[in-house]
Amino acid sequence: MDPLSSLLSGIRAEGSVVTHAVLTQPWTIRFTDAAPLTMISVLRGGTLLLPDGTERPVGAGDTAIVRGPEPFHLADHPATVDNPHAAYEIACFTDTACTAEELGGIHWGADSDETTALIVGAYRASGHRHERLLRALPPLLVVEEDAEVCAWLETAAADAARHSAGSQALMDRLLDWALVCTLRSWFDQAGADAPSWYRGLADPVLAPALEAFHDRPAQAWTVASLAARSGVSRALFAKRFTRLMGRSPLAYLTECRLDEAAALLTDTDLSIARVAKAVGYADAFGFSAAFKRHKGLSPSAFRRGSSPDAGARGVG
C-alpha cells in the first residue's frame, strides 16, 4: 500500500449527498457538520466559498475540499453575501440522512441561468489515519477541471436520489473515488508544497524503495536493501533521499512505522507485542522505547489517551 492509499483508508463517505439543487439567486448555504473533510463539486453554475473569512470562487467542473471542523458558507456571489437572501443549512451527521427535503427549500428542478448544481460529500472521522491525512492538507484546496469531468458523477447522484436499491452505497463509494482523484490531482499540482512522501513517489530513484517499504513495513529494511530496490549505490540513495525527503532514510522508516503503530493502537485491539511485530520491531520492549522517544508517551498511555472516553477519564 502506498502512503496516500494508507491515509485515505481511514476516511469514508456516509450518506451525505446533495445534488441537482436549484438555487435561485441570491442564496447562501451554511455547513455545520464539523466534518473533518467536506468535498463540493460544482456541476453547473458557480459559487463562492467562504471558509474562515476568506473568499474563493469555485466554477463549473471545480472541486473544493474544506478541512473541518469549523463551519463555513457557500454563496452565489460576493456582492450578495450581506444582502437579504435565501439561507440554507446542511447538517448531514444527524439521526437522519441529509436529503433535499431537509434543506428547507432546496429542491430538484430544471436548469436556468440562475441554477447552481452541486454534489456535496461530508466525511466522518474514522480513527488515527484521517488525522494524518488532514495534517497533509491545507484548510482549503480547489482543483479546477473541465465541467464535463463531473458528468458521470451527476448521473450516479441522480440515480441515488431515486432511492433505488443500493443507490446510497453506490454514491458513497463514488464520492470516495472522486475524493481520491481530487487529492491526487491536487498533490500533482502542489509541486514543492506537496508532502515529501508524495514528492518522493514521483522520483524514479526513490519511488521503488518507497513502494517496497510501504508495501512491507515490517520487513527488516536497511539503507542498503532499499538502495538495492532502487538499483543505485547506498551512498547515492541516502544522499538523494535526504535531499528530497528532508530526512534520512532511517529517520523516515522510523517515523512511518511509529505513525502506523499509532493508528493500530488507536483503531484496533491488537496487543502491544503484535503492534510491535506489525511495524517491524523484534520485541515489545524495543518498540515501546522507540515509541515513547518519538511520541512522548508509552504505547499503553497513548492507547488510553486515544480511547473515546479518554476525556471523561481526564486522560490527555
Side-chain angles (χ1 to χ4, degrees):
M1 183 180 292
D2 64 85
L4 183 57
S5 295
S6 177
L7 292 180
L8 289 172
S9 67
I11 197 160
R12 289 288 184 271
E14 287 190 47
S16 305
V17 179
V18 180
T19 186
H20 288 188
V22 177
L23 301 167
T24 302
Q25 300 176 356
W27 56 266
T28 65
I29 302 176
R30 178 175 170 83
F31 290 78
T32 60
D33 279 313
L37 277 184
T38 302
M39 184 176 68
I40 303 160
S41 294
V42 179
L43 304 175
R44 288 179 303 284
T47 185
L48 177 73
L49 196 61
L50 299 167
D52 195 26
T54 62
E55 298 181 1
R56 176 69 185 266
V58 187
D62 296 351
T63 294
I65 294 178
V66 184
R67 192 182 69 197
E70 293 78 13
F72 64 95
H73 286 79
L74 291 181
D76 63 300
H77 193 273
T80 66
V81 171
D82 296 324
N83 297 339
H85 53 256
Y88 309 106
E89 183 169 294
I90 294 181
C92 299
F93 294 159
T94 58
D95 293 336
T96 56
C98 177
T99 66
E101 289 76 18
E102 293 170 5
L103 298 179
I106 299 180
H107 58 281
W108 310 105
D111 290 334
S112 72
D113 291 340
E114 296 182 338
T115 294
T116 297
L118 306 173
I119 292 177
V120 177
Y123 291 81
R124 296 179 187 271
S126 180
H128 188 76
R129 281 188 177 85
H130 94 269
E131 298 173 4
R132 292 161 57 193
L133 172 63
L134 296 180
R135 289 197 299 268
L137 300 178
L140 166 66
L141 64 91
V142 177
V143 174
E144 299 178 357
E145 298 282 2
D146 189 278
E148 294 300 318
V149 173
C150 291
W152 65 271
L153 190 57
E154 180 180 7
T155 300
D159 177 71
R162 291 192 289 269
H163 305 291
S164 56
S167 59
Q168 187 60 66
L170 172 64
M171 192 66 227
D172 287 344
R173 299 293 75 78
L174 286 172
L175 283 170
D176 289 335
W177 188 90
L179 176 68
V180 173
C181 291
T182 299
L183 289 178
R184 286 182 61 183
S185 294
W186 181 79
F187 282 132
D188 285 341
Q189 297 169 13
D193 293 330
S196 59
W197 51 260
Y198 194 84
R199 299 196 306 271
L201 288 172
D203 183 80
V205 172
L206 301 190
L210 288 170
E211 290 171 358
F213 166 69
H214 284 282
D215 188 49
R216 299 186 299 279
Q219 187 165 319
W221 295 107
T222 63
V223 176
S225 63
L226 289 172
R229 298 289 302 189
S230 295
V232 297
S233 70
R234 181 183 182 280
L236 174 60
F237 177 82
K239 182 178 180 180
R240 189 180 185 92
F241 193 103
T242 302
R243 178 171 59 84
L244 292 179
M245 303 290 284
R247 55 180 83 65
S248 70
L250 292 182
Y252 178 82
L253 295 182
T254 298
E255 179 182 319
C256 290
R257 282 172 169 153
L258 296 180
D259 277 345
E260 178 63 19
L264 292 174
L265 290 167
T266 302
D267 304 339
T268 75
D269 294 325
L270 291 175
S271 67
I272 303 299
R274 291 187 64 186
V275 170
K277 185 176 180 180
V279 297
Y281 284 82
D283 60 81
F285 178 80
F287 164 68
S288 296
F291 192 92
K292 186 172 184 178
R293 186 165 57 249
H294 285 265
K295 300 293 186 181
L297 291 171
S298 69
S300 297
F302 181 88
R303 170 171 273 170
R304 290 195 300 270
S306 301
S307 64
D309 59 343
R313 296 196 310 267
V315 178

